[in-house]
Amino acid sequence: MTRVNADVDPDDIPSNPSANRHIQDVMSRRAIIKGGTVVAAAGFLTTGLASSAVAYGRPDKPGRPGKPGKELLGFEAVPPGTDDAIVVPAGYTAQVLIPWGTPLNSRGPAWKKDASNTAADQERQIGSNHDGMHLFPLSKDSGLLAVNHEYVDTQGLYTEGDEVVTKEKVDKALAAHGVSIMKIRRNRENGAWEHVDSPFNRRVTGSTPVKFSGPVTLENDALKSNNAPQGTLNNCSSGYTPWGTYVTCEENWNGYFGTEDASWTPDAEEKRYGVAATGTPYRWHEADERFDLAKNRKEVNRFGWIVEINPFAPRSAPVKRTALGRFKHEGATVTESRGRVVVYSGDDQDGEYVYKFVGDGRWRDRLRRGQSPLDHGTLYVAKFDDNGSGVWLPLVFGQGALTRANGWKDQADVLIRTRTAADAVGATRLDRPEWVAVDPKNKDVFLTLTNGSGNGGAAGPRKPNPYGHILRWAEKGGDNTALSFKWEVFILSGDPAYDKTVELGAEAIHGSPDGIGFDEDGRLWIQTDISNSSQNLPAKGYDNIGNNMLLACDPKTREIKRFLVGPRGSEVTGLTFSADGRSLFVNIQHPGESTTAWGSPTVENPRVVSNWPDFDPAGRPRSATVVVTKKDGGRIGT
Ligand code: FEO
Ligand code: CA
Ligand code: CA
Ligand code: CA
């Protein structure tokens, strides 16, 4: 999420004015209707999936965690922590890789710890605020690591801070955004991972030329801005396709645009996406007209998309795949079913929706015809019903409410105004939909709802919901292209000391689940992003939980164990594995960010909260990738 000065998390502020029911309403009503029976839970099991034989609790309330398979969670859980360090279980080691500012190759430019690197330097260095990532393996000991750079700390990015905005500063910030692709390999002698020079090493930034594809083209009037199409911004989470490309997601892109022109006012669509004259913490419009809403109004419509990058074609332009809709895309979880591609994506803001794109026809056939499987298909939005069932509602021009009579022009219009289209068809509002994971064994789908205001009654997941929860659903027949599903609350996050309905022990308490993903053995990994205005604070019920963390979960028994705790002020995000499952890569984002518990970094002392990972007395905290390995060389989690 975009948090320049962490006191207010913009994702927590809803901008959905629709009357669509909130998931909290649905859940509290369900709890009353069901009265603790397991009717809908049994329904969840009728999917005919061999490995779905899980004992579900009441559908609106997660079951009590049981004992895990020994092999699945074989490690000793680490306790909650508040140290400025990475903590992993006994028998494991953690190593720092490609922190912000690492040069793309050995010719430099070298990282300068006083943040005096120029914009031109930053274009050839690893960006900041590492987020979603994927390792494209070249062998079991090497691969191309694609890493998102979600945002910048506007103060920490510059030696003299951010009081004055200049074009050079905007250019440096743009260069620190986007994606890095870096070849990494395991050193044969010492077993450590290292980055190496490679023609594949590249940066995609907020200024890189980009293409548009799918129903929304650059000829569309809504996209006719004053400049050439360039850049991807606020790249939060990501996914990867079965054809070997990286898909990166534009989340809080609205925050980069603003204006000093008092005559500019947002229209209904701009409001729906949170575009506002004073809505930017970055103030780029003060030095770059591209981001001035009054001078270049339509540039903002070129953001909010999922962007496909081919890591194996370093000169190829990133492509914005417009068929997947325009919203604050948290992630893009790609799976396939019956030869068709399916992409799940949450819209991370309080009261927003979860979507899925289903490709039209077999993706291999599309590729064979020289077409993108992501350009042809249908976008759906989820509706969660009272009885534990749900449906996917199509966002198709001419269908349902999306007609010309209702003011819709064509499919491009539906996609540019995806949120409004989803309002119109009656989607279910959720508590900040973040990542989606698909169980490789039975194709069940998991969605993290990090926290939110809630609208619901007293029972079940909370109102308000400061700790979040995880939903699980089974698509009909285990087919991810299906248009109906059965759902339940999988885990209610939190701390029983503050909420007795939480069924988590000391080894499992956590809040604000965000990143989520499976490894090949079927472990479900959960990452947290507790806001720095709540972290470690008794007044927020977060003092027992400690710093942000990574946990492992047995999806059959719901047993959870804390695996890694991050340094102060940081979020743990991004999840990928080496081809042999023996190296786990996670990102530590925004260590040292301003927190209510630890204080605020200053120009004079950027190390007030954290000095991870360098601990240089004259340095500054840096986001970085961390590689975890087991000392005995075993698989991660055993
Ligand atoms: Fe970029 Fe919703 O976290
Ligand atoms: Ca983040
Ligand atoms: Ca996130
Ligand atoms: Ca988050």
Side-chain angles (χ1 to χ4, degrees):
M1 71 187 78
T2 311
R3 284 176 308 226
V4 174
N5 298 309
D7 296 340
V8 177
D9 185 338
D11 302 333
D12 289 338
I13 303 161
S15 67
N16 183 347
S18 77
N20 292 349
R21 280 195 312 158
H22 194 282
I23 188 71
Q24 297 283 2
D25 301 339
V26 176
M27 282 197 257
S28 45
R29 214 164 310 169
R30 287 181 60 194
I32 294 160
I33 293 164
K34 302 294 169 206
T37 68
V38 291
V39 175
F44 197 92
L45 292 175
T46 60
T47 57
L49 292 165
S51 49
S52 250
V54 182
Y56 286 91
R58 214 169 75 181
D60 56 304
K61 192 169 177 284
R64 185 185 300 275
K67 283 280 160 269
K70 227 189 195 160
E71 279 299 290
L72 219 49
L73 304 185
F75 61 93
E76 197 175 323
V78 301
T82 57
D83 290 347
D84 192 22
I86 296 277
V87 181
V88 290
Y92 286 84
T93 52
Q95 176 209 338
V96 173
L97 199 64
I98 59 164
W100 162 45
T102 303
L104 276 187
N105 60 54
S106 54
R107 293 186 303 280
W111 155 253
K112 293 182 179 169
K113 65 186 178 186
D114 63 354
S116 63
N117 282 111
T118 63
D121 291 346
Q122 179 65 76
E123 280 171 19
R124 294 184 292 139
Q125 295 173 328
I126 295 291
S128 74
N129 291 67
H130 303 36
D131 207 324
M133 68 176 154
H134 184 68
L135 179 63
F136 293 88
L138 297 167
S139 72
K140 78 177 172 54
D141 292 321
S142 67
L144 300 182
L145 187 65
V147 180
N148 280 357
H149 301 294
E150 189 181 33
Y151 67 104
V152 294
D153 168 359
T154 57
Q155 182 178 277
L157 188 66
Y158 315 110
T159 311
E160 68 282 21
D162 61 355
E163 209 165 305
V164 179
V165 180
T166 64
K167 183 67 166 60
E168 161 71 15
K169 282 183 173 174
V170 174
D171 288 345
K172 184 175 181 184
L174 284 164
H177 279 77
V179 175
S180 295
I181 292 164
M182 192 78 144
K183 183 175 176 183
I184 60 170
R185 71 168 176 218
R186 195 157 19 200
N187 183 300
R188 271 167 219 247
E189 262 143 51
N190 62 16
W193 285 85
E194 59 195 9
H195 62 88
V196 290
D197 288 358
S198 161
F200 294 116
N201 293 359
R202 106 182 257 203
R203 286 298 321 284
V204 168
T205 73
S207 309
T208 302
V210 296
K211 292 180 176 166
F212 280 72
S213 194
V216 182
T217 66
L218 284 165
E219 284 68 52
N220 192 297
D221 190 56
L223 267 62
K224 284 186 179 156
S225 84
N226 298 344
N227 44 268
Q230 54 187 304
T232 182
L233 290 170
N234 216 266
N235 302 80
C236 185
S237 184
S238 56
Y240 57 98
T241 66
W243 53 94
T245 60
Y246 188 64
V247 276
T248 178
C249 297
E250 298 180 334
E251 190 191 11
N252 290 305
W253 42 271
N254 58 306
Y256 297 97
F257 297 84
T259 187
E260 306 295 298
D261 185 338
S263 70
W264 184 89
T265 52
D267 64 23
E269 291 302 329
E270 287 160 339
K271 272 191 195 150
R272 185 68 186 82
Y273 285 102
V275 177
T278 55
T280 175
Y282 299 92
R283 295 156 50 220
W284 290 353
H285 64 277
E286 292 177 20
D288 187 343
E289 288 190 359
R290 184 179 158 208
F291 299 98
D292 190 316
L293 290 165
K295 294 181 176 139
N296 195 20
R297 186 163 204 150
K298 292 175 181 174
E299 178 72 2
V300 74
N301 293 333
R302 291 177 174 179
F303 292 87
W305 304 103
I306 288 178
V307 188
E308 186 176 21
I309 297 171
N310 185 348
F312 300 99
R315 276 184 289 276
S316 64
V319 183
K320 300 207 174 185
R321 296 290 176 197
T322 61
L324 283 74
R326 176 170 171 264
F327 47 93
K328 296 183 184 177
H329 286 282
E330 172 75 18
T333 301
V334 185
T335 188
E336 56 180 313
S337 183
R338 303 180 186 187
R340 294 159 80 189
V341 67
V342 176
V343 186
Y344 292 96
S345 186
D347 184 352
D348 178 13
Q349 197 168 347
D350 193 11
E352 294 300 337
Y353 310 125
V354 65
Y355 298 81
K356 84 170 172 186
F357 170 85
V358 178
D360 182 7
R362 301 170 73 84
W363 64 263
R364 287 177 197 277
D365 295 342
R366 288 280 173 202
L367 284 185
R368 213 173 285 128
R369 277 182 253 155
Q371 299 171 334
S372 169
L374 300 179
D375 284 348
H376 305 273
T378 305
L379 185 65
Y380 299 90
V381 66
K383 178 166 174 275
F384 294 81
D385 288 320
D386 293 6
N387 60 1
S389 65
V391 288
W392 290 102
L393 304 166
L395 300 177
V396 175
F397 173 69
Q399 288 187 23
L402 307 177
T403 58
R404 203 175 294 276
N406 287 338
W408 297 92
K409 282 190 282 215
D410 51 24
Q411 185 60 23
D413 188 28
V414 169
L415 293 166
I416 293 166
R417 302 193 283 141
T418 301
R419 279 186 168 183
T420 306
D423 296 343
V425 300
T428 302
R429 302 177 66 189
L430 299 163
D431 278 356
R432 296 191 52 195
E434 302 254 21
W435 292 33
V436 172
V438 177
D439 189 330
K441 295 203 162 119
N442 62 14
K443 307 294 273 185
D444 277 2
V445 187
F446 294 73
L447 168 68
T448 47
L449 298 173
T450 200
N451 54 56
S453 55
N455 295 318
R462 298 153 287 241
K463 175 204 162 151
N465 183 14
Y467 300 106
H469 55 286
I470 301 174
L471 290 183
R472 162 161 67 175
W473 63 86
E475 304 274 17
K476 191 174 183 191
D479 173 6
N480 295 95
T481 71
L483 299 186
S484 62
F485 56 90
K486 299 286 183 193
W487 66 271
E488 64 155 20
V489 175
F490 176 66
I491 293 287
L492 185 64
S493 303
D495 176 358
Y498 289 94
D499 180 348
K500 297 215 175 342
T501 63
V502 174
E503 306 234 31
L504 300 172
E507 74 294 344
I509 54 170
H510 67 277
S512 300
D514 186 341
I516 191 166
F518 280 89
D519 65 23
E520 283 194 352
D521 299 334
R523 279 175 214 92
L524 181 62
W525 295 88
I526 302 164
Q527 300 173 314
T528 69
D529 178 18
I530 305 157
S531 150
N532 275 328
S533 55
S534 298
Q535 210 170 12
N536 295 313
L537 298 176
K540 300 291 176 89
Y542 263 106
D543 51 327
N544 299 325
I545 287 174
N547 295 353
N548 277 305
M549 64 189 76
L550 168 72
L551 310 107
C553 174
D554 179 335
K556 278 197 178 177
T557 65
R558 303 174 207 248
E559 176 87 359
I560 297 178
K561 279 187 177 178
R562 192 177 300 97
F563 182 83
L564 176 151
V565 175
R568 289 179 185 174
S570 75
E571 158 190 354
V572 181
T573 183
L575 184 72
T576 190
F577 294 85
S578 60
D580 63 4
R582 291 166 198 271
S583 298
L584 158 69
F585 299 77
V586 296
N587 283 324
I588 299 300
Q589 189 189 63
H590 60 74
E593 188 178 69
S594 174
T595 66
T596 309
W598 308 109
S600 295
T602 61
V603 169
E604 296 72 32
N605 183 8
R607 302 164 294 277
V608 168
V609 176
S610 169
N611 199 8
W612 188 90
D614 302 335
F615 299 104
D616 183 322
R620 60 192 57 229
R622 302 159 82 186
S623 293
T625 301
V626 166
V627 194
V628 181
T629 49
K630 205 173 175 196
K631 286 177 187 160
D632 67 5
R635 291 176 77 82
I636 304 299
T638 56

